[in-house]
Amino acid sequence: MLHLGPIAFLNPWILAALVGLPLLWWLLRVTPPAPRRQSFPALRLLLGLTPPEETPARTPWWLLLLRLLALSLIIIGLAQPLLNPSARLGGSGPLVLVIDDSWGAARNWSQRISAAQDLLDQAERANRPVILLTTAPSELDEPMASSGHLTANEARRRLQGLAPKPWPADRLAARAAVESIDVPATAEVVWLSDGLQDGPGEALAETLAELGRLTVLRDGSDALARLVLPPNNEAKGLTVAVKRASPRSESLATVTALGDDGALIGRGLVTFAEGERVAETLIELPIELRNRIARLTLEGESQVGAVLLLDERWRRRPVGIITSAAQEQRQPLLSEVHYLDRALHPFTELRRGEVGELLKRDLAVLIQPDSSQISDQDKTAIEDWVERGGLLLRFAGPQLAEAGGDDLLPVMLRGGGRILGGVMTWDSPAQLAPFERNSPFEGLTLPNDVSIRSQVLAEPSLELADKTWARLSDGTPLVTADPRGEGWVVLVHTTANTLWSDLALSGLYVDLLRRMVAVSQGIQGESGGELALPPLQILDGFGRLRAPPPTVLAAEPAVFDEALIGPQHPPGYYGGVGQRRALNLVDLNPPLEPLTKVPASATIASYSKSAESDLKPWLLLAATLLLLLDLVIALGYRGLIRRSLGHGTAALLIVALVPFAEPWAQTTLASDDAFAMDATLQTRLAYVLTGDPSVDRASKEGLTGLSRVLQRRTSVEAGPPMAVDLERDELAFFPLLYWPVTTTQPSLSQSARDRVNRYLSHGGTILFDQRQPGAGIQFLGQTSDQSQALQRLAEGIDIPPLTPVPPDHVITKSFYLMQDFPGRYSGGPLWIGATEGRVNDGVTSVLIGSNDWASAWAVNELGRPAYAVVPGGERQRELAYRVGVNLVMYALTGNYKADQVHVPFILERLGQ
């Protein structure tokens, strides 16, 4: 390869043909142009004429230069010149390419692959062998080793099969593999790092520098991977913290809370201040929505560290305590309810009230203190609730001891209570016995200062041992439980306050209640039990859930306790559908520091798009144009070009240019033709590109969902929606244009405004959606951010005066009969342009609202709703679909339904 400043030639030997240009000059110079045929008058007109002295005709000098220039361009183009060729490779030996394919490399994986391909292209030009080495353990958990000497094509094929792993790199094993590589000192070593520093990373860099000249590619501090930390479940909502590698500058991150079906449940904005590595946000949600959250993700970041799977441990279970207002007024600080409230409040959603009131809402646990009395009707209701999966937790006391028990107990009781310690007894207060292995309380530490002074005794039976969860030191049961249908009935054989024991004053009291609340949801305690949990779903390096491959093994309790994450136990869900345990990358506490410790001899560079350009197509295109021009000139000299042939010659010129203008044709004519064909072969809805990936994705998913509804319910055969760029694309193909308004969308150029105005004047319809409840409209004096953005974007667009949709407008009856226009949100009005006279046949061309219709219509790849709809739920989503159908039918049929002939049928449907 020959370098001449910013230009390099891949085939410099072809440039030797330029030496022959003087010979071509001589040949072209002595070759006259073709003779021109001329009709003369009669021969008699030539009589008496003396022939003048003549000289041989020669090619004009300007035409000669034109031909030489065309030939020079062909020669230079065949030498394949490159503008700004990449120059990362040095030396002359093999290329050793070390690639971090760990979790931290997933965020900008496409840039890493592009940089690796660029390096392989350079190695191929220099005919240099390539040695590949990846630093993350493979899925098969095989010993790490380099690839050996490969050609650039073989390395390129291997590169295409690489994907980031959902676990950290093993740089100690990578260093051992590097030490076994035998290359000359002229080798070039490039490390495509994930940008994160760990202890073995410095040793790996030093070993790589010993092989040859080392170049380390890494991301900038703002592009490094980030981690979602385990959340805190608080009273108001979920507090989520995000950790980043570098605290150098201010930055933002958006945390989204998703359900099992991928539906959006909540969102929070995380703001990193200068010098801050950890920032948090509060996602305020009611307990019912909070318990539906399955995972937390960082919006716009595709890597496993940006996904946190949640299981039952992060759910605040609703717990009800049976009580009454009169009961709480009697010595409130000594009552059982007070002790239960203080113990349960940190980790549950606590509710108080009578049985009928409590069971109106979903409950995980219903607690009946001894002082609470229930009626026979309440007992029936509780029995039905327990059969459906609830857990009834009862505490003993004087009233239960006197009554002797009932049907809502796990065991039969002896009459009266047992007193341990006192004036009239020889017994002393009893201590607790260690918890057995089959007990939900296994693993809890027993305090030495807890004593039980009184309890109710269970009648001995064969099943008593199986129903006992906790015992006293003398073997008598303290906590018994019995399954009933899908639920449980649990009895604590002492009081919930300090009347009979010191249990309510200890930390063990809180732990016991926490474990019992956990049992109500069908999960094990924090110890995880003794059984291995099979893999249910795993996360790949990009943070996507998928089915586990055969190489993934069942997870023992130690896997969760010690975070043994790797090829055999990747992050994901383990267990069953009804009882699963989440294993997250953050449990491993991976290092999150920028990579800075590299040898002084190493070169540090960033991942950047190559500025290399191949000039060959453009040079050959220019040469072709010059040769075609030479052809036209030659035809002119011969008199073969007439005015009638002008159009044919131009057509011939265009046809001849198409094959040689491939780069230009692909970006202009071909793309325009393809866009027009796609837009016209089927009826398609369109949305305006805003530049915000999340908004554009929601628009596409929303119009996809609406198109499917149109196909099922109407005669409209709508194809997949299309995205339009107002600065470039033609709008006339689309009946309805959905325009989401964002504050970051740039203002339109004059050509874009003209294109939009032309679309509106020819019958097109635009739906402006401010996507924010109560955003208002700037045209009516509102001043919200969304309305200001709408005013800025609509500047120069011919928008008529606006008015709310009248009750009798065609939109309210174009397909469905409706008066409100809800979307993801409800309550915001729909504004239309007030039409006058017969402009566009009385059909408005502009509609403006703020209910975020696209998010309500949006469906994911499985056809399920992608976003939550508030406050009306699925009924509101159905109404939103009806709004979309009416808008499309209005855009397609105009004022058709305004015809008076339809009034009787509409009145009949209304029942009037």
Side-chain angles (χ1 to χ4, degrees), residues 415-545:
R418 178 193 182 195
I419 301 177
L420 303 173
V423 178
M424 303 300 295
T425 179
W426 294 99
D427 294 333
S428 59
Q431 305 292 321
L432 275 70
F435 299 111
E436 300 178 0
R437 296 184 62 180
N438 60 349
S439 170
F441 309 138
E442 178 202 2
L444 295 182
T445 303
L446 294 178
N448 297 323
D449 56 347
V450 173
S451 60
I452 308 299
R453 298 184 297 275
S454 296
Q455 67 171 146
V456 293
L457 293 176
E459 288 283 358
S461 66
L462 296 177
E463 299 86 6
L464 182 59
D466 295 332
K467 295 181 178 181
T468 302
W469 284 0
R471 301 176 184 272
L472 296 179
S473 56
D474 60 2
T476 56
L478 179 65
V479 180
T480 55
D482 182 40
R484 301 283 180 88
E486 297 181 5
W488 288 87
V489 175
V490 182
L491 173 65
V492 179
H493 291 237
T494 188
T495 56
N497 56 9
T498 59
L499 182 62
W500 281 9
S501 73
D502 299 329
L503 180 63
L505 299 176
S506 68
L508 180 63
Y509 189 60
V510 178
D511 294 334
L512 291 176
L513 291 175
R514 184 187 292 269
R515 292 290 181 89
M516 285 186 278
V517 171
V519 169
S520 72
Q521 300 304 317
I523 67 170
Q524 300 168 334
E526 294 180 2
S527 63
E530 295 294 332
L531 298 177
L533 300 179
L536 182 63
Q537 288 179 302
I538 67 165
L539 291 168
D540 63 10
F542 294 108
R544 300 172 299 197
L545 280 171

Side-chain angles (χ1 to χ4, degrees), residues 720-854:
M722 296 184 64
V724 296
D725 185 347
L726 297 179
E727 301 290 344
R728 180 191 64 198
D729 297 329
E730 177 58 49
L731 308 179
F733 309 118
F734 309 105
L736 179 66
L737 189 62
Y738 178 77
W739 190 337
V741 177
T742 64
T743 56
T744 58
Q745 188 175 358
S747 301
L748 302 182
S749 65
Q750 186 58 45
S751 62
R753 295 192 190 100
D754 296 340
R755 186 177 289 107
V756 173
N757 287 330
R758 185 166 58 251
Y759 172 73
L760 294 176
S761 63
H762 287 77
T765 302
I766 298 180
L767 173 61
F768 291 92
D769 191 350
Q770 300 181 80
R771 306 178 304 102
Q772 196 176 80
I777 299 181
Q778 179 69 25
F779 304 104
L780 303 179
Q782 305 285 343
T783 58
S784 68
D785 292 340
Q786 294 294 107
S787 63
Q788 292 177 1
L790 175 61
Q791 182 188 34
R792 175 176 54 81
L793 294 174
E795 183 178 359
I797 298 177
D798 298 333
I799 295 181
L802 300 173
T803 181
V805 175
D808 59 344
H809 195 272
V810 181
I811 294 179
T812 64
K813 53 192 174 184
S814 59
F815 194 86
Y816 291 102
L817 297 178
M818 56 194 322
Q819 294 297 326
D820 297 323
F821 305 93
R824 184 183 183 187
Y825 311 108
S826 62
L830 178 63
W831 300 80
I832 61 173
T835 57
E836 299 181 0
R838 304 300 293 176
V839 177
N840 284 338
D841 203 19
V843 177
T844 183
S845 56
V846 174
L847 303 99
I848 300 178
S850 59
N851 289 337
D852 195 3
W853 288 283

Side-chain angles (χ1 to χ4, degrees), residues 170-185:
D170 188 352
R171 289 174 174 167
L172 279 178
R175 182 190 181 191
V178 170
E179 290 175 345
S180 64
I181 298 176
D182 184 16
V183 291

Side-chain angles (χ1 to χ4, degrees), residues 4-90:
L4 294 176
I7 298 178
F9 294 91
L10 298 184
N11 302 312
W13 57 271
I14 297 180
L15 297 176
L18 294 174
V19 180
L21 287 180
L23 178 62
L24 293 174
W25 170 280
W26 181 80
L27 291 174
L28 294 175
R29 183 172 181 273
V30 299
T31 304
R36 179 179 179 182
R37 185 180 299 274
Q38 178 67 46
S39 300
F40 288 94
L43 293 177
R44 62 185 179 82
L45 297 177
L46 302 177
L47 296 176
L49 294 179
T50 302
E53 183 179 356
E54 297 180 354
T55 58
R58 297 179 181 273
T59 302
W61 65 269
W62 54 270
L63 183 59
L64 184 62
L65 289 178
L66 179 68
R67 292 173 176 174
L68 290 177
L69 179 59
L71 292 175
S72 300
L73 292 177
I74 292 175
I75 294 172
I76 297 174
L78 294 177
Q80 199 165 354
L82 300 177
L83 181 62
N84 299 321
S86 299
R88 282 180 175 154
L89 288 186

Side-chain angles (χ1 to χ4, degrees), residues 144-469:
M144 191 173 298
S146 63
S147 65
H149 286 70
L150 304 173
T151 65
N153 278 332
E154 292 172 341
R156 195 175 288 114
R157 285 194 293 270
R158 292 201 180 191
L159 186 67
Q160 293 172 353
L162 289 183
K165 311 297 191 306
W167 47 77
D170 188 352
R171 289 174 174 167
L172 279 178
R175 182 190 181 191
V178 170
E179 290 175 345
S180 64
I181 298 176
D182 184 16
V183 291
T186 56
E188 180 75 10
V189 183
V190 181
W191 179 15
L192 277 64
S193 74
D194 57 14
L196 300 178
Q197 178 76 53
D198 58 7
E202 184 178 2
L204 174 61
E206 293 175 353
T207 305
L208 291 174
E210 295 174 359
L211 294 180
R213 193 174 75 104
L214 173 62
T215 301
V216 180
L217 301 184
R218 66 179 185 184
D219 290 311
S221 58
D222 293 337
L224 295 175
R226 293 177 288 191
L227 279 173
V228 179
L229 303 182
N232 292 323
N233 209 336
E234 301 178 354
K236 292 184 178 180
L238 210 61
T239 300
V240 185
V242 180
K243 184 179 181 180
R244 62 174 180 171
S246 176
R248 290 186 179 178
S249 59
E250 298 181 358
S251 64
L252 300 175
T254 301
V255 179
T256 57
L258 306 177
D260 275 322
D261 57 354
L264 177 65
I265 297 177
R267 178 185 280 118
L269 182 63
V270 178
T271 303
F272 289 96
E274 179 78 23
E276 190 177 32
R277 295 192 59 198
V278 178
E280 61 183 27
T281 182
L282 175 63
I283 304 178
E284 296 188 20
L285 290 170
I287 185 64
E288 290 81 5
L289 287 178
R290 207 182 314 162
N291 287 342
R292 291 172 51 192
I293 299 176
R295 62 184 183 271
L296 300 170
T297 65
L298 285 180
E299 200 169 82
E301 189 163 336
S302 299
Q303 50 95 0
V304 67
V307 178
L308 184 76
L309 301 179
L310 302 184
D311 53 23
E312 313 298 336
R313 293 171 293 169
W314 281 280
R315 298 188 177 183
R316 288 176 64 93
R317 296 302 172 191
V319 175
I321 302 177
I322 302 175
T323 184
S324 63
Q327 179 182 347
E328 294 189 32
Q329 291 176 359
R330 300 192 301 266
Q331 294 181 324
L333 297 182
L334 299 178
S335 68
E336 296 172 288
V337 175
H338 171 73
Y339 285 94
L340 289 171
D341 182 275
R342 296 294 298 271
L344 291 167
H345 182 75
F347 62 92
T348 64
E349 183 73 15
L350 202 57
R351 304 166 186 169
R352 304 180 189 178
E354 298 181 353
V355 174
E357 180 185 352
L358 291 173
L359 295 184
K360 288 180 181 179
R361 301 174 64 185
D362 291 335
L363 280 180
V365 178
L366 182 63
I367 300 178
Q368 182 184 354
D370 180 66
S371 57
S372 299
Q373 299 296 321
I374 59 176
S375 63
D376 293 338
Q377 183 179 0
D378 291 339
K379 288 182 180 180
T380 303
I382 293 175
E383 288 175 351
D384 294 339
W385 175 78
V386 171
E387 291 285 338
R388 296 195 305 270
L391 185 145
L392 174 64
L393 175 59
R394 299 186 63 175
F395 285 85
Q399 296 186 20
L400 182 60
E402 181 179 353
D406 52 44
D407 295 336
L408 287 177
L409 290 173
V411 294
M412 296 293 294
L413 298 180
R414 291 184 179 182
R418 178 193 182 195
I419 301 177
L420 303 173
V423 178
M424 303 300 295
T425 179
W426 294 99
D427 294 333
S428 59
Q431 305 292 321
L432 275 70
F435 299 111
E436 300 178 0
R437 296 184 62 180
N438 60 349
S439 170
F441 309 138
E442 178 202 2
L444 295 182
T445 303
L446 294 178
N448 297 323
D449 56 347
V450 173
S451 60
I452 308 299
R453 298 184 297 275
S454 296
Q455 67 171 146
V456 293
L457 293 176
E459 288 283 358
S461 66
L462 296 177
E463 299 86 6
L464 182 59
D466 295 332
K467 295 181 178 181
T468 302
W469 284 0

